[in-house]
Amino acid sequence: MQRHRTRAAILSTIFMGLGQIYNRQFIKGLIFIAAEALAVYYFIQNLGRALWGIVTLGETPSHLEKVKGVSKMVQGDHSIFILIQSLITILVLIIFLSAWYMNIRDAYKIGAEREAGHQANSFKQTVRYIMDYKFAQTFLILPTVGILFFTIMPIIFMIMLAFTNYSAPGHMPPAKLVDWVGFETFRSLLVLKSWSHTFYGVLTWTIIWAVLSTVTTYFGGLLVALLVSQQGIRFKGIWRAILIVPYAVPQLISLLLMRNLFNGQFGPINQYLGYFGLGGLPWLTDPFWAKVTVILVNMWVGIPVSMLLIMGVLTTIPRDMYEAAEVDGASAYQKFRIVTLPMILFSTAPTLITQFAGNINNFNAIFLLTGGSPVNGDYQYAGSTDLLVTWLYKLTLDQNKYNMASAIGIIIFIIVASFSLYNYRRTKSFKEEDMIQ
């Protein structure tokens, strides 16, 4: 017989808390009833408008209206505020539905225990059980709700903006309304010549930058780590301390200092070149040399990070592997190729993938060093050294092109997520995970 569990589940489905009251858990049941009563009141006030708002984004723009012969501005619907409020209401609905489902499960479970001859826990016993066995899950409810509203909701909002004409001419709230346009923004970005030329140009440089900056810093750090770790090198601690200084100095200070050092007119580097009879270079004013400069400066900042990582891995390689290679007559290069490099790559491959993904979004290196300059007359609001992420920043903060910036953000996410997941799953660190458990 499943009489108690079935009745409790049906009652809790009809209204939260009724199943608990049926199971003689009166305080818990009253708490659930109060929660649903508040939720019903909230949804009566907001859910209808939320569903209307998410579909229409508003129907009445702000307009002038004559009242007793005097023109008066009548505030209309603000599409962006409506979209945000609708999202909040829908997320609250999701939380409520989750709580409703948990309430049904709880009533069903307690009903099953009653059928087995066990007495339902009192409210005090329930609280004690939660504190002893479910404390972690209960404690995580608050941060989970915070993540939902302050992390997930902004991401959803950004994605939805990409499918509107927000910031297009004639569609800037509150004076005008915003409309859903489907994939029109993506079509303009990828096909329309005025935008696509900039997009593909910036995307190409972003990929080149990510590859070069990752390769140079990783293998530069590998070289330095191997040199410092060689037997016979004296004062290793001093060398490590000197080489770690660029990493220890805040990146903001390093990049702004480098910007002044590479100044084409007054920078010390061109002055030093002049002392040796060499002409100065347009480090930050020529598109090609500006790209060379950001790669060089990124090496200065990034090599110490890779060096520290690889030096840690070198200390974990068993000495007997090298001794076995020496017995077999392996040369120094063969020991590096057969023993050292595979062990380093095995341990650092996930970090290498993370560095590549991070370099695609390396905002600081470009923005603080060149600001995306030099100017490129063929680009829409982008310079010759702009990455997708710095172009997105300019479109948002400087040009108010929110829908276009949102579309670029989605494309960046697709690129980074696809590359990271695909390559991480192909690494030996992932395939042979059980070997190092």
Side-chain angles (χ1 to χ4, degrees):
M1 292 290 291
Q2 298 183 356
R3 182 183 61 197
H4 288 311
R5 71 180 76 178
T6 303
R7 288 180 180 178
I10 292 174
L11 287 171
S12 285
T13 303
I14 295 172
F15 204 94
M16 285 174 58
L18 293 181
Q20 282 74 18
I21 291 177
Y22 172 80
N23 288 325
R24 300 173 186 174
Q25 294 182 310
F26 299 106
I27 297 178
K28 186 196 290 187
L30 290 174
I31 292 174
F32 275 119
I33 289 174
E36 179 162 351
L38 290 173
V40 169
Y41 176 78
Y42 174 81
F43 291 130
I44 290 174
Q45 300 290 323
N46 298 281
L47 186 57
R49 179 172 174 80
L51 297 176
W52 165 82
I54 207 78
V55 173
T56 65
L57 297 180
E59 295 176 346
T60 307
S62 299
H63 59 281
L64 289 172
E65 188 175 291
K66 283 192 176 183
V67 179
K68 297 181 181 180
V70 179
S71 295
K72 182 181 179 181
M73 177 61 72
V74 177
Q75 190 70 31
D77 297 326
H78 195 299
S79 298
I80 300 305
F81 290 169
I82 288 175
L83 180 58
I84 294 173
Q85 291 164 0
S86 299
L87 276 176
I88 292 173
T89 302
I90 291 172
L91 290 179
V92 172
L93 177 62
I94 292 173
I95 294 173
F96 169 73
L97 292 176
S98 301
W100 190 22
Y101 173 72
M102 292 170 60
N103 140 79
I104 296 172
R105 282 190 59 187
D106 177 74
Y108 184 87
K109 178 182 175 182
I110 300 301
E113 291 180 359
R114 288 182 63 192
E115 291 168 5
H118 302 295
Q119 186 177 0
N121 288 340
S122 65
F123 183 72
K124 184 177 180 181
Q125 290 173 324
T126 301
V127 172
R128 188 57 179 250
Y129 174 78
I130 292 173
M131 296 298 294
D132 290 343
Y133 301 103
K134 299 292 183 180
F135 177 77
Q137 296 91 321
T138 306
F139 183 79
L140 288 173
I141 290 176
L142 186 61
T144 300
V145 172
I147 291 171
L148 182 64
F149 282 98
F150 296 107
T151 301
I152 296 177
M153 193 189 79
I155 293 173
I156 296 174
F157 175 71
M158 183 204 73
I159 293 172
M160 297 178 78
L161 279 187
F163 297 93
T164 70
N165 55 9
Y166 181 34
S167 75
H171 293 279
M172 281 295 292
K176 302 294 181 181
L177 295 174
V178 174
D179 300 315
W180 295 110
V181 295
F183 290 91
E184 182 64 26
T185 304
F186 293 90
R187 191 192 71 82
S188 299
L189 186 63
L190 300 175
V191 178
L192 196 63
K193 186 175 180 180
S194 58
W195 284 101
S196 63
H197 177 69
T198 306
F199 172 74
Y200 290 118
V202 174
L203 175 62
T204 301
W205 162 237
T206 300
I207 300 300
I208 293 173
W209 152 263
V211 172
L212 291 180
S213 57
T214 303
V215 170
T216 53
T217 55
Y218 182 82
F219 286 101
L222 173 62
L223 176 62
V224 173
L226 290 174
L227 291 175
V228 174
S229 300
Q230 289 293 313
Q231 292 183 355
I233 298 295
R234 302 179 63 186
F235 310 114
K236 290 185 178 182
I238 296 176
W239 285 113
R240 293 191 189 102
I242 293 174
L243 292 169
I244 204 60
V245 166
Y247 177 66
V249 175
Q251 193 179 76
L252 172 67
I253 297 174
S254 296
L255 294 174
L256 292 179
L257 176 63
M258 288 294 180
R259 185 171 185 169
N260 290 325
L261 290 175
F262 282 99
N263 185 288
Q265 187 174 359
F266 306 106
I269 291 179
N270 273 350
Q271 292 183 15
Y272 292 148
L273 292 176
Y275 294 153
F276 293 99
L278 302 173
L281 293 172
W283 296 107
L284 300 176
T285 54
D286 178 78
F288 172 77
W289 285 107
K291 293 175 180 178
V292 172
T293 303
V294 294
I295 294 293
L296 292 175
V297 173
N298 187 71
M299 289 175 63
W300 168 258
V301 174
I303 282 178
V305 181
S306 297
M307 179 196 72
L308 280 178
L309 174 67
I310 294 170
M311 288 180 70
V313 176
L314 289 174
T315 61
T316 65
I317 300 177
R319 180 61 193 166
D320 54 5
M321 295 182 69
Y322 291 108
E323 293 174 353
E326 290 173 357
V327 170
D328 291 337
S331 64
Y333 171 73
Q334 288 174 325
K335 286 190 289 185
F336 168 76
R337 183 174 61 83
I338 297 172
V339 178
T340 307
L341 187 59
M343 293 292 291
I344 291 175
L345 289 175
F346 179 85
S347 299
T348 62
T351 305
L352 186 61
I353 294 170
T354 303
Q355 288 181 347
F356 179 85
N359 281 322
I360 289 179
N361 290 318
N362 196 335
F363 179 86
N364 288 346
I366 300 298
F367 187 80
L368 296 176
L369 190 60
T370 66
S373 297
V375 175
N376 191 323
D378 296 330
Y379 284 178
Q380 288 268 28
Y381 314 114
S384 296
T385 58
D386 266 318
L387 306 179
L388 287 175
V389 66
T390 56
W391 186 34
L392 182 154
Y393 174 86
K394 291 180 178 179
L395 288 174
T396 305
L397 275 296
D398 298 338
Q399 306 300 327
N400 297 325
K401 302 290 184 182
Y402 299 107
N403 60 333
M404 197 63 70
S406 298
I408 294 171
I410 293 172
I411 292 173
I412 292 174
F413 170 77
I414 292 173
I415 292 173
V416 173
S418 301
F419 172 85
S420 300
L421 290 174
Y422 174 77
N423 284 281
Y424 178 70
R425 293 180 66 86
R426 289 172 58 87
T427 62
K428 288 187 176 181
S429 302
F430 177 81
K431 292 180 180 179
E432 302 175 12
E433 182 180 11
D434 293 338
M435 295 178 60
I436 56 174
Q437 292 292 330

